[in-house]
Structure formats: C-alpha cells, structure tokens
Amino acid sequence: MDLVERALAGERLAIARLLTQVENNTSFGQEALQRLYPRTGNAHIVGLTGAPGTGKSSLANQLAKAIRSRQDAPKVAIVAVDPSNPFTGGALLGDRVRMRDLAGDSGVFVRSMASRGALGGVARATSAIVQVLDALGFGMILVETVGTGQSEVEVARLAHTVIVVDAPGLGDDVQAIKAGILEIADILVVNKADLPGVENTLRALNLMLEMFPQTREQNGWKPPLLRASAVNGEGIVEIIDAIFRHGEYLKTHSLWTTRERSRVLTEILERVQEILLEHWKHQVGETRLNQVVERVLQRELSPAEAVKYLLD
C-alpha cells in the first residue's frame, strides 16, 4: 500500500507523513490531495479563535475528550496553528504538549503546524490539511488559531462554526471590537470562569452583542454566550451542544452550502493570487525588481509609481 492508502486505513504514522507532504506542498502532497478531495465534504469544521491567554488549547482538549465520550462519537482532529519562529519558520508546537492526555484515543488526531508568517491566525496550508483530515474520516475538525488578537477573522472563511473565546481580566472586550472578532462569532465562550471578574466580562460582551449586530450571515441565529472553565470541565457539554445545534441550524437554513461555497471561492482566489504573483516575479526578474527598489529608496520613485512602472 502507498502512503495515501495506509493513511486511509488509519495508520497514524502514515497520516502524519501525508500531512507533512501536503503542508510542504510537495508534488506528492499535491497529487495526494487531488486523490483524496472527492472524499471530502463530510466534516464539521469548528474554528477556535481569540486573543492569547484565553485558554483555547485547553478548551480544544476538553472539547475533543467530551465529544469522544458521546455515543456514536465522530473521530476528532485538532489542527493547532502555532506562531512561527521568525528565523527558522518552525513552531514551538506547545499545543501538542498541552493535549498529551488525548494520546490514548485512536479516534483523536492532533496536528500542530506553524503559521509561517501568514496573517489571519491560520497558516496558508491549513485548508489543505483540513481537507485531508476530512477525507480520512474525521467527522469533527477543531482548528485553533494562533491567537494574535488583531487578525483572527480568516478562520471564518474556513470553518462552518466559529467559537470566539474570551477570558476575564485580559482587556479583550475592547480588543474584540477592534479586531472585528464579535462579528464572526457563531458561539461566544468566556473561558476561565473560575477567575474573578467573569461576571463583568459576561456583562460587557452581552452589551456589545446588543450594540453591534452580526455582520456574518446568520439568518436568525443568535450567538449564545456561554461560560466555561477548561480546568474543571465547567460548561464543556453546553459548548458541544451549541456546536451540534449550530451545525443543524446551518443545514436546515441552507447556510452550510453557502459557507462551503464561500470557503471554496476564497481558496481558489488565494491560489490564483499566489500563482500570478510567482509568474509575475519570474517575468520581471530579480535584477529589475532590485533596481526599482533602489530607485524607491533613492526617492526617485514612490512605491505607487514603482508598481505602475513594473506592471507596465
């Protein structure tokens, strides 16, 4: 059996190696993704986003454990996007360390990946990784974003259900308004509810939900505001119920297909941009590009004039 067939058979080492090929965009990875793509479209993709320190990793860990404890539980995958080292491009992969207690469950697969400088809280290869896991039969895929606080909204284009995680005492109420995070929330969770100040955070978020109407298409869905504590398991069952309820709501109101269409369109446009940019850079040539950069540095051209000159 080749690597794809072994991964489909559930061999965990094969899955890990296949994901590495896809993440690195090798020729084999591209071919494997094409082979697997007809099997996709079955997973419920759940995004976990929010500022650093809100406990997203611990929450994802608890959600996966609780989902797996249910009758007829789907297989669960966690894709944890970590910040990249600016010099090596690698990541600390701290999320995998936090989720060690999931290791004994063959129905759970955890994949950490580096953001590699991508904005929006998710890596450029995240969508491809999610597609592979979907094709391999993981019915629930949790995507945990970097947690930069200002550029997390990209996960809304990838996930069916977006959970925005806040925590008391972090000043994230104002941050959420600045980042536009509330507008993408399908479910709002105040984690670390065992800490002081949780009631103030809940009140502030309730007020903001009333002041700022949802801009993501909801068709009558009102994002529930839930309190939880990943440390002691408080509120985990309520969050899972809200996830499944939202999934059913999307399907009932024909929004599941709408979000799938939006995700596919976004991915196609992003890939077109990447290919066109590489083609353009090859046509212009490094020498000419550097010459124009020098002219901008010498103030002979403005950046806007440089772009017009290069395109002409």
Side-chain angles (χ1 to χ4, degrees), residues 114-170:
S115 62
R116 303 191 182 187
L119 296 176
V122 294
R124 290 185 180 90
T126 305
S127 178
I129 293 294
V130 167
Q131 288 168 24
V132 172
L133 292 168
D134 181 2
L136 296 181
F138 290 92
M140 181 77 70
I141 302 174
L142 306 177
V143 180
E144 181 202 339
T145 68
V146 171
T148 55
Q150 289 292 327
S151 55
E152 298 283 283
V153 295
E154 289 298 317
V155 74
R157 297 188 177 97
L158 174 64
H160 299 112
T161 301
V162 177
I163 302 175
V164 173
V165 186
D166 203 348
L170 297 179

Side-chain angles (χ1 to χ4, degrees), residues 37-94:
Y37 193 76
R39 295 173 175 265
T40 64
N42 301 305
H44 187 165
I45 305 166
V46 179
L48 281 164
T49 189
T54 54
K56 297 187 297 296
S57 297
S58 300
L59 195 62
N61 179 68
Q62 291 286 358
L63 290 173
K65 285 171 61 178
I67 290 169
R68 289 293 298 161
S69 68
R70 291 189 160 208
Q71 285 187 336
D72 300 323
K75 291 201 297 180
V76 179
I78 300 174
V79 181
V81 185
D82 281 323
S84 293
N85 182 305
F87 303 106
T88 66
L92 179 62
L93 308 184

Side-chain angles (χ1 to χ4, degrees), residues 189-209:
V189 174
V190 177
N191 194 25
K192 303 185 179 182
D194 51 315
L195 296 181
V198 63
E199 297 299 336
N200 292 336
T201 303
L202 286 167
R203 275 196 298 271
L205 287 173
N206 254 323
L207 180 62
M208 281 187 280
L209 283 173

